[in-house]
Amino acid sequence: MRPLTVIANWKMNGSLASNASWVKSVCRGMEQGMPAGRKYAVCVPSPYLAQCGQLIEDYSPAFLSLGAQDVSMYAAGAYTGEVAAAMLKELGCSFVIVGHSERRQYHRETDEHVAEKALQVLDNGMTPVICVGESADERNSGREVEVVRGQISKQVAVLQDRLADCLIAYEPIWAIGTGKVASADLAQDMHRAIRLQLAEFDEDVASHVGILYGGSVKPDNAVELFAMPDIDGGLIGGASLNPQDFLAICQA
Ligand code: PEP
């Protein structure tokens, strides 16, 4: 049985004051009672990891885990501006997003980079959240499955059965931050396709990997999405900035 996992991605948002109020609200809300057997995390900008880690520790370590939004593909050394996986681990991270479409688009990350980053995360005892997804043009030209299969096959080639310790986030680019959520059926079809592709490699890996959906998830569409058999939770961008909306999605 795969646990439902809901992960907030703040992207490049936050401040010392707003972070403190968000963590307090979410942890207090979670203490009122959450559905059993689920996992929750918040991926914050790197400069706020220490602050948010401490806040989570103070309020509610049992419910909420800390995560990062990116990591270096290198372990250490002369890589100015980069953050190593060991540093994220030291700051208390449990999850690290790798290959978000915004990093692929604005920082030219390739599937090979993403796989190397995932390896660093695994080697340091954390869970990579590997993002894949097609653009609007790719879907409109009927190539969405081919595109996502290509992204997944690079991860399979490098990570092999260590994929069982990863999460995959299917995030159609046309749905990210646009308000155009994928219908539950459309998302389920792609999640199923990903799971079947993983099963071609190893059935055990396929049955263990959590596949999250990301792209304009809101409190009012989360219930239907999370009810799908191959949707194992969500990666939540914009809606996660509001603690009450994030809590509502966590309870969906
Ligand atoms: C994301 O950035 O991972 C995301 C899913 O964003 P949004 O929820 O705003 O579409």
Side-chain angles (χ1 to χ4, degrees):
M1 184 65 182
R2 297 179 298 270
L4 195 99
T5 305
V6 184
I7 301 181
N9 172 18
W10 284 357
K11 312 195 189 206
M12 198 171 70
N13 293 293
S15 68
L16 292 174
S18 67
N19 304 344
S21 132
W22 189 99
V23 175
K24 184 175 173 185
S25 302
V26 167
C27 289
R28 290 262 156 89
M30 287 184 167
E31 271 166 13
Q32 306 304 309
M34 297 301 289
R38 297 187 173 191
K39 293 185 179 179
Y40 310 104
V42 57
C43 294
V44 310
S46 297
Y48 296 138
L49 283 168
Q51 180 211 12
C52 291
Q54 189 57 56
L55 286 164
I56 291 171
E57 194 68 28
D58 291 347
Y59 286 115
S60 192
F63 289 111
L64 192 62
S65 299
L66 184 67
Q69 300 174 8
D70 186 34
V71 66
S72 176
M73 58 191 272
Y74 304 108
Y79 302 103
T80 303
E82 293 278 277
V83 176
M87 300 171 186
L88 300 178
K89 179 72 179 175
E90 215 176 11
L91 286 170
C93 287
S94 303
F95 296 89
V96 184
I97 298 171
V98 293
H100 191 284
S101 62
E102 288 152 14
R103 298 227 40 101
R104 292 176 187 257
Q105 184 180 352
Y106 304 130
H107 303 275
R108 302 209 182 93
E109 284 188 12
T110 65
D111 291 313
E112 287 77 8
H113 297 142
V114 175
E116 290 303 320
K117 288 179 175 209
L119 275 180
Q120 287 290 331
V121 175
L122 287 165
D123 285 348
N124 284 277
M126 300 173 287
T127 303
V129 183
I130 302 170
C131 300
V132 298
E134 80 285 358
S135 67
D137 280 353
E138 288 161 345
R139 177 163 284 271
N140 293 337
S141 57
R143 293 191 298 121
E144 68 277 10
V145 173
E146 175 198 333
V147 167
V148 172
R149 273 189 78 90
Q151 294 169 337
I152 295 285
S153 67
K154 299 274 178 25
Q155 304 309 311
V156 172
V158 174
L159 300 167
Q160 302 271 303
D161 50 12
R162 297 186 79 186
L163 265 172
D165 299 322
C166 301
L167 289 170
I168 291 172
Y170 168 57
E171 300 209 303
I173 297 167
W174 47 268
I176 296 181
T178 59
K180 290 186 204 160
V181 66
S183 71
D185 286 335
L186 183 151
Q188 163 60 23
D189 283 351
M190 186 60 88
H191 283 231
R192 187 81 201 133
I194 293 171
R195 204 175 303 284
L196 289 173
Q197 181 183 359
L198 295 174
E200 290 166 18
F201 165 69
D202 186 308
E203 299 221 349
D204 210 37
V205 168
S207 67
H208 276 92
V209 172
I211 308 177
L212 314 185
Y213 169 79
S216 297
V217 177
K218 304 269 184 298
D220 60 2
N221 56 34
V223 174
E224 205 189 347
L225 285 161
F226 295 171
M228 289 290 156
D230 287 292
I231 298 184
D232 305 312
L235 183 55
I236 321 297
S240 75
L241 297 175
N242 178 319
Q244 297 315 322
D245 284 353
F246 181 62
L247 274 171
I249 293 169
C250 289
Q251 277 156 343

